[in-house]
Amino acid sequence: MPRSLFPAAAAICVALAGAPLAQSGHEPPERDGVGREDSFNEDLGLPYWAPGRGQVDHDAIRRRSLGVLERQFGAFRDQAARLAETSVAFCNGSVSEEEAKTSLRATWLAWAPLDSYQFGPIEQLGAALTVNFWPDKKNFVGRGLKALQSLPPEDQEDPAKVAQGSAAAQGLPAIERLLHTDIEPCPALVGVSGFLDQFSQDIHDAWFSGGGWADVARAAGPNNPVYLSSEEFTKTLYTAVDFGLTRIADSRLGRPLGTFEKSYPRRAEAWRSGLTNEIIVAQLEGIAELVAAGFAGDVRETDRAWILQVIEQAIARTEAIGQPIAEAVQDPQSRVRVESLQAKVRYLQLQTAQDLGPNLGVDTGFSAADGD
């Protein structure tokens, strides 16, 4: 069931039709080729002048960051398409269950970086819960699947019928249960993966098709009801980085950790498939890509290198756990490693507040984590 571009972005783009794109608000000095449009290095994505002079080119940040986001959203769209194809082949008996599980893993890891960007199309389309209904405190995924599997087979494999059902039975956790529990996966697997394939395309189009959210960001200025300046889009991206780290520390680690007296292994994301650790790494890598390539030269090289080094340290601590987090939190010795990772992620969040935000000239705005 195709979804049209959500009304908010469409209305914004109509309102902005014919309006000039916002300027950066200053003209960098033209000397030695610095500050001229033709001095910009498209391959490296470097700003027009050297960083560290108290000047931030928010237009350049937007251009580079949209390139990062388009790659990340495109990767999720492509993996979801492969998952749909693999699911059909699995239910036809032409590929193994292991191949279907491998495709699920690739799709989930492609989604992980996008979990940080809970604004714009992801917010407007309700994509965060549709794609990844988690935490699932009341077993809505199980109940949604039960309702889906009560339908005739031809309805179960129809993405349009899946779209009419519970959001909890439309995304990755539902597919995980179909492939990693003893319930019969087919034909519901075909319908759910087919819906996810289409929905991933909808999300990508809502961001990057004509009149999509990327165009809203490009049109930042006094006539834009969302971004009154390019700086506001930078602030949104920086807030997304902070939110992503909050999700890792508080939800992906804090929920299964519980307390020292009682851990909750089944609160770990994707515990059935054992993907919890890899999802954390993939989200950290997505944040690193935005810092390295999106914010790029508008952050002093020493500060940017330090943030990236701390991210690498967090990834190393994730890998050092040596077992799925759902298992690690149950053993006092391995639990210490999970707590150490959580501490490192919280330290990373502190460092971004001290170094990254001031470099960009912004602080965090309203976050999807506020009020949780």
Side-chain angles (χ1 to χ4, degrees):
M1 183 176 67
R3 300 183 183 217
S4 61
L5 181 62
F6 52 88
I12 290 167
C13 289
V14 169
L16 293 173
L21 293 180
Q23 300 301 311
S24 62
H26 58 264
E27 293 297 330
E30 289 194 18
R31 60 176 182 268
D32 299 328
V34 176
R36 298 201 313 263
E37 184 71 23
D38 59 6
S39 72
F40 180 73
N41 188 319
E42 294 288 351
D43 293 331
L44 297 179
L46 294 176
Y48 302 150
W49 56 82
R53 300 182 185 173
Q55 297 172 309
V56 179
D57 188 344
H58 292 287
D59 291 336
I61 290 173
R62 178 187 59 214
R63 179 177 59 251
R64 294 189 303 260
S65 296
L66 285 176
V68 171
L69 266 60
E70 187 165 13
R71 189 208 65 76
Q72 292 177 346
F73 277 90
F76 174 60
R77 175 200 58 196
D78 294 346
Q79 291 297 342
R82 292 189 186 98
L83 176 59
E85 295 173 359
T86 304
S87 297
V88 171
F90 167 63
C91 289
N92 287 340
S94 54
V95 303
S96 67
E97 182 179 64
E98 195 57 39
E99 289 176 89
K101 290 178 178 179
T102 298
S103 188
L104 168 63
R105 172 184 175 275
T107 306
W108 212 320
L109 299 187
W111 165 258
L114 309 188
D115 180 77
S116 298
Y117 311 130
Q118 297 199 20
F119 62 91
I122 286 185
E123 180 184 19
Q124 296 288 341
L125 295 176
L129 286 180
T130 301
V131 174
N132 185 19
F133 197 95
W134 179 84
D136 181 14
K137 301 176 183 179
K138 297 185 178 179
N139 192 33
F140 285 116
V141 174
R143 289 152 62 181
L145 275 177
K146 185 176 181 180
L148 175 61
Q149 292 187 306
S150 70
L151 300 177
E154 60 271 20
D155 288 346
Q156 292 184 43
E157 65 182 7
D158 184 354
K161 294 295 184 182
V162 173
Q164 295 171 9
S166 168
Q170 294 173 345
L172 298 167
I175 296 174
E176 180 192 34
R177 292 206 191 191
L178 289 169
L179 290 173
H180 288 273
T181 67
D182 58 2
I183 64 176
E184 174 56 48
C186 302
L189 179 63
V190 173
V192 177
S193 63
F195 169 84
L196 188 61
D197 172 22
Q198 184 175 294
F199 192 63
S200 69
Q201 183 68 59
D202 292 342
I203 299 170
H204 184 275
D205 290 347
W207 254 104
F208 299 106
S209 66
W213 203 261
D215 283 346
V216 172
R218 293 184 186 105
N223 296 321
N224 189 316
V226 180
Y227 303 115
L228 297 178
S229 67
S230 298
E231 179 181 346
E232 290 195 0
F233 187 63
T234 301
K235 182 174 183 176
T236 298
L237 294 173
Y238 172 66
T239 300
V241 168
D242 182 75
F243 170 73
L245 296 175
T246 298
R247 281 277 279 179
I248 294 171
D250 292 354
S251 298
R252 295 191 161 87
L253 297 172
R255 282 180 55 78
L257 271 170
T259 65
F260 186 79
E261 290 75 21
K262 184 173 177 59
S263 62
Y264 298 91
R266 292 194 176 188
R267 288 184 180 178
E269 181 181 16
W271 62 269
R272 292 176 177 83
S273 56
L275 292 176
T276 314
N277 308 46
E278 291 182 89
I279 291 169
I280 292 172
V281 169
Q283 188 164 23
L284 287 170
E285 288 176 341
I287 291 170
E289 184 178 11
L290 185 61
V291 172
F295 298 153
D298 285 279
V299 175
R300 288 183 302 177
E301 182 55 34
T302 52
D303 293 332
R304 183 166 61 122
W306 174 241
I307 294 297
L308 294 175
Q309 182 177 337
V310 178
I311 292 175
E312 285 298 321
Q313 292 170 356
I315 290 172
R317 287 195 184 186
T318 308
E319 295 170 344
I321 293 172
Q323 58 185 316
I325 284 172
E327 297 176 11
V329 296
Q330 300 179 70
D331 177 74
Q333 291 185 330
S334 56
R335 176 188 172 86
V336 172
R337 298 191 186 99
V338 181
E339 292 172 333
S340 175
L341 169 60
Q342 186 184 49
K344 178 60 71 173
V345 174
R346 293 198 191 284
Y347 174 74
L348 173 59
Q349 197 167 18
L350 176 63
Q351 292 301 293
T352 60
Q354 290 182 347
D355 296 334
L356 191 59
N359 268 262
L360 299 173
V362 298
D363 55 13
T364 57
F366 177 78
S367 167
D370 293 341
D372 284 359

